[in-house]
Each structure stands twice: as structure tokens, then as C-alpha cells.
Amino acid sequence: EAGVAQSPRYKIIEKRQSVAFWCNPISGHATLYWYQQILGQGPKLLIQFQNNGVVDDSQLPKDRFSAERLKGVDSTLKIQPAKLEDSAVYLCASSFGADTQYFGPGTRLTVL
Amino acid sequence: GQQVMQIPQYQHVQEGEDFTTYCNSSTTLSNIQWYKQRPGGHPVFLIQLVKSGEVKKQKRLTFQFGEAKKNSSLHITATQTTDVGTYFCAGFYSNYQLIWGAGTKLIIKP
């Protein structure tokens, strides 16, 4: 079966610019997660969707980050405007319920 | 709030020595998952523990879940170079919140 797809794989922007990441989960997985992983740290959960509803977005900086999951399948994560400290790898994962999470390859964001 | 503490941050071992990483939660977990992340890669699922006192083995890896469902450990016997990476625990709580530990980086000395 196909894995979790993410794009782009790499993105370089200047601070105050906007950026968007896309994720296509494994078919049939109702739960989708977006994580931020700063170099040398563990993944930090930004938002968790169950179908197209939000389960947990308590760690999402809502003044600049937004995420949506239209039709309960694909998801996009947006940052507007970006700050230097947003430089990180953004990981998308999906699961069948609260079960094994399968991760995509991630998007490495560099903010200059 | 809920927290998952993972120790140690790093562990240097000689090839063939054992390795252990520990996770502790401030409150009771619904379940706990373990992941391995190789340098430059993404986390890969290893195992999920659900029951109080549960012990699971995968070849040289032994996973334990505490009786109170607040702590867990991963033990690797006789480490090999292929074991190199960072091991993370991720705790699920009854309110569906998911908290990750900071990870333990396993470094094998030549």
C-alpha cells in the first residue's frame, strides 16, 4: 500500500513570507497528525484531526499557523507569516484510530 | 499539564553492550507507543503497549509498561550498529492527547 505522501520535501523562504505544506495520508486512515520537529528534538504535535474534525490543536501557534483537512482526506498546514524559529522538519502522520502512526518523509523548512 | 519525561538524552555504548531508555508520565496513560528515528529519517513505529504490566519482545528489544501505566522502558540486548538512532516514546491519554518524549539517542562507540 502507498505510504503517507508529503510535499514539498524542502522549502526555503525568507521571514515574514508564507508557506504551505501538503499531506496525503494512507487510504482509510481517519486520524491525521502534523508535527514540528526542530533539529535535535522530539516531534511536537501541532494538530490532530479525526476525519475532518480537530481532536487536539493545543500546541498550534494559531496566530500564524493554520491547518485544514478538507473532506477528511488530504490536509494542508500553512504558516503566515514565517519566523526564523519556524525552521524545522514538518512531519505528517496518519493512523487508523489511536494506533500505529505512519509518517511521511517530512518537509524541511528553512526560514532565512 | 500532561508531560512525558524520557531519559537519558544520550547513551554511548560499545557494540555488544545493552541499552535502556525510560519514559515517565505525570499522569496515567491509555497506551504508549515506541518509535525509532534514524539520522535524517522519520520516526518508524516499533510497538504499542496497552495493558498494565505488559511486556513485549521483538528479537533483542524488550518493552515494558508499568503496573500503574505511568512509565515504560525499552531495553536492547547486545546492541548492534544497526540499532543506532533516536528512540522515542509517545504517550496517549484518555482525553486523546498525545505527548512525545524528547527521545534517547543511541550512539555506538567504534
Side-chain angles (χ1 to χ4, degrees):
Chain A
E1 82 187 349
V4 176
Q6 285 188 251
S7 67
R9 291 295 310 277
Y10 304 91
K11 189 74 178 178
I12 300 174
I13 61 172
E14 295 189 349
K15 59 184 179 183
R16 291 188 288 274
Q17 285 188 321
S18 302
V19 65
F21 312 125
W22 173 82
C23 174
N24 180 238
I26 292 173
S27 177
H29 281 191
T31 311
L32 185 147
Y33 311 80
W34 281 105
Y35 291 92
Q36 179 193 60
Q37 188 172 24
I38 293 172
L39 188 63
Q41 298 183 16
K44 172 187 167 184
L45 180 66
L46 295 175
I47 190 165
Q48 177 184 345
F49 290 97
Q50 182 76 16
N51 295 308
N52 59 351
V54 176
V55 173
D56 182 4
D57 63 356
S58 57
Q59 298 190 86
L60 186 74
K62 297 180 184 65
D63 57 333
R64 297 184 301 106
F65 286 64
S66 64
E68 59 181 9
R69 191 181 184 195
L70 300 175
K71 301 180 183 178
V73 182
D74 292 8
S75 178
T76 56
L77 176 69
K78 296 179 182 177
I79 307 175
Q80 181 179 12
K83 293 185 176 182
L84 297 176
E85 59 261 36
D86 298 332
S87 293
V89 175
Y90 290 84
L91 293 163
C92 178
S94 70
S95 68
F96 188 75
D99 209 334
T100 306
Q101 294 180 56
Y102 294 88
F103 284 81
T107 297
R108 184 176 298 275
L109 174 67
T110 302
V111 182
L112 303 175
Chain B
Q2 290 149 337
Q3 281 190 319
V4 174
M5 303 298 293
Q6 188 172 359
I7 57 170
Q9 189 176 2
Y10 301 94
Q11 190 162 3
H12 293 77
V13 300
Q14 295 277 6
E15 188 175 5
E17 291 183 336
D18 292 356
F19 161 83
T20 306
T21 174
Y22 302 90
C23 279
N24 290 287
S25 169
S26 54
T27 55
T28 303
L29 295 160
S30 291
N31 67 64
I32 192 162
Q33 297 176 355
W34 286 91
Y35 292 81
K36 176 183 178 181
Q37 186 173 25
R38 293 181 184 273
H42 55 269
V44 175
F45 175 81
L46 294 175
I47 209 157
Q48 176 171 283
L49 304 172
V50 179
K51 299 177 183 176
S52 168
E54 191 169 16
V55 178
K56 287 189 176 180
K57 292 191 175 185
Q58 288 178 351
K59 297 183 180 178
R60 296 178 294 105
L61 278 61
T62 301
F63 303 84
Q64 293 188 343
F65 202 10
E67 292 291 339
K69 298 183 73 172
K70 286 186 175 182
N71 57 73
S72 182
S73 65
L74 158 59
H75 180 82
I76 302 177
T77 305
T79 54
Q80 300 175 358
T81 55
T82 52
D83 296 326
V84 163
T86 301
Y87 293 83
F88 293 98
C89 62
F92 274 94
Y93 294 87
S94 57
N95 61 356
Y96 301 105
Q97 195 168 26
L98 171 63
I99 306 289
W100 285 63
T104 297
K105 189 172 184 178
L106 171 58
I107 300 159
I108 296 186
K109 295 182 277 190

